[in-house]
Structure formats: structure tokens, C-alpha cells
Amino acid sequence: MKIMYLSLEGVEKSFRNNMNSEIKVLDDISFHIEKGQFVSIVGPSGCGKSTLLYLISGLEKASKGKIEVDGEAVNKPGPDRVVVFQEDGLFPWATVLDNVTYGLLLKKMPKKEAEQKALEMLKLVHLSNYVDAYPHQLSGGMKHRVSIARALVMDPDILLMDEPFAALDEQTRMTLHHELLEIWRRTKVTVLFVTHNIREAVLLSQKIIVMGTRPGNIKTTFPVKTTQDGITPDGVTLDLEQKILAALEEEMEKVLKEELGDDYSFKTGSVHRDTSGDMGSGI
């Protein structure tokens, strides 16, 4: 029997704008993730993907519905859920080791124990030779490795990743795909990964959730059966990319009509796969 570890039922989220009008950004979000799964979320800009991660992390509260982790309601941040943001967020004045130990020391772990645990995690992300380096001395990919180490050292049950590789060049991104999958297999952490890059989602995930435009909703889901090495596309990968693009065309047209006017017409099948797999690359 499969264990549904992360569960969302009828989740909605609304904000009030400067005119005190209520704006709904998420509507009737329901899905379930098994313990240890790697799941990606894709969708057009502004559909609420990041907001959804913040709700699951407990950084924001849902306006309606329920979010549960292992049967327990989520109503505040907790050490079982850690977010890795697009920006690395490292402390520029602190060394790599100090950045990774920071959360452990906040939990009152003895410094020596915290440093030993951090060193083990830095070895896992291949940064053992950079423990005394400062963020400005690191490449973009190395900074993201530090961010991942800082998250994983807290022993989370769920790793929430908000477009962590979006700003990286393609070669660095491919390298980090491979390393992230290795870390995931070794730690067995549950991963929920937000991305605009369809190929990235296909190469990393066991399941892909496709969201519709505002207010964000679940349009469809795709199980993934590929090489799942984070690097190598194959015939199955390319076919799945096209299916996801087809599912998103209507949503992308809605976004463009909002930005360019209702007379804009989005030709079906006009989006073609490119080397990056980014949504909207053919527009």
C-alpha cells in the first residue's frame, strides 16, 4: 500500500491588493505525494507555484482547505519542511561551513557536533575543499550546492525547491541535476520541485503536476518513466515534453491575452521544443 505522505485537499489562497480587493491566486488545489517521491510542478508565470510551496512550508497560511504531512496538519513552519529558493540566500560575511551550521546552532546543537554534521553534508555535495571559502569566492553552481547542503543538514522530511537552478547556465544546471538526484536517492527525502523548465521537470521527476493560470489550479498530472538521470533525454522524454506543452498551450494563451489584449491569438501547436525546454520558448 502506497503511503500518501504530503496531502493537499481543496486548498485556496487569496490576498488583498492595494484597493482592498480580494485576489484569489490558488483555487481548489488537491494532490497527494508519496513519501520519498520526487515531484515537479510546472505552469505559466503567475499561476501560484511559489505561493503553493510557501503554504506547504508554513510560511503562508491557506485561506481554505487543508495541508497535511504524515497525517498532521500544517499550520506553521517546521524543521520537517525546508525551502531552497532561487536565490541562494547565503550570508556573505560567513564561510561555507558557518553558513551550513547556522540552522543547527539555532537549534542549540553543540558547535562541534554541528560542524561535523555540516562537513558530512558538504562532502555529499562535493564542497569539502571549500569549507573556509566565502560566498563571493564561489561560482553560482557552488553557491546552490551550499544552499542544498544547508537545507539537507537539517534532516528535513520534505525538500521544497523553488526554481533553484533557473539562473544557472545549461552545463552547470545539468551537473546539479545529476548531483541532486544522487542526493535524493541517498537521503530518500521527499522533493517538491518548482520549475519553468519542462525538460528539467521530465529529467528529474517521478511525477509532474501541471498547473493552470490564475487562479492557479491543477490542470493535469503526468507520471514519468524515463532514464531519470537528470541529463540524458530520450524518445520517451521528448514525447512527454510535447504532451506537457500541449497541456499548457491554453494556459499560456490566457496569460498572453491578459498581457497583450483579448485579440491576441495563440496558434495551437506553435510552441516547439528547444534545447532548454523552457515554457514559452517558441513564442
Side-chain angles (χ1 to χ4, degrees), residues 36-40 124-126 144-145 148 152 159 161 164-165 172-193 199-208 224-233 237:
Q37 265 193 318
F38 196 123
V39 178
S40 287
L124 186 63
V125 298
H126 309 294
H144 280 285
R145 290 184 199 176
I148 292 171
L152 290 174
L159 188 62
M161 307 190 77
F165 308 144
T172 302
R173 182 186 289 187
M174 289 170 60
T175 300
L176 288 178
H177 287 174
H178 181 71
E179 293 189 355
L180 176 59
L181 285 175
E182 285 298 311
I183 291 168
W184 168 65
R185 290 175 182 130
R186 290 179 64 175
T187 62
K188 296 180 172 57
V189 65
T190 303
V191 179
L192 189 58
F193 188 96
R199 175 164 294 179
E200 181 171 67
V202 171
L203 291 176
L204 291 175
S205 313
Q206 295 177 308
K207 180 167 71 173
I208 297 172
V224 182
K225 296 180 180 178
T226 66
T227 54
Q228 205 181 15
D229 63 359
I231 299 174
T232 312
T237 300

Side-chain angles (χ1 to χ4, degrees), residues 5-6 9 22 26 36 44-45 86 135 155 170 196 230 233 240 268:
Y5 188 68
L6 173 62
E9 293 287 351
E22 189 173 84
L26 292 172
S45 296
Q86 183 175 340
D155 290 326
E170 190 66 15
H196 276 96
L240 183 54
T268 301

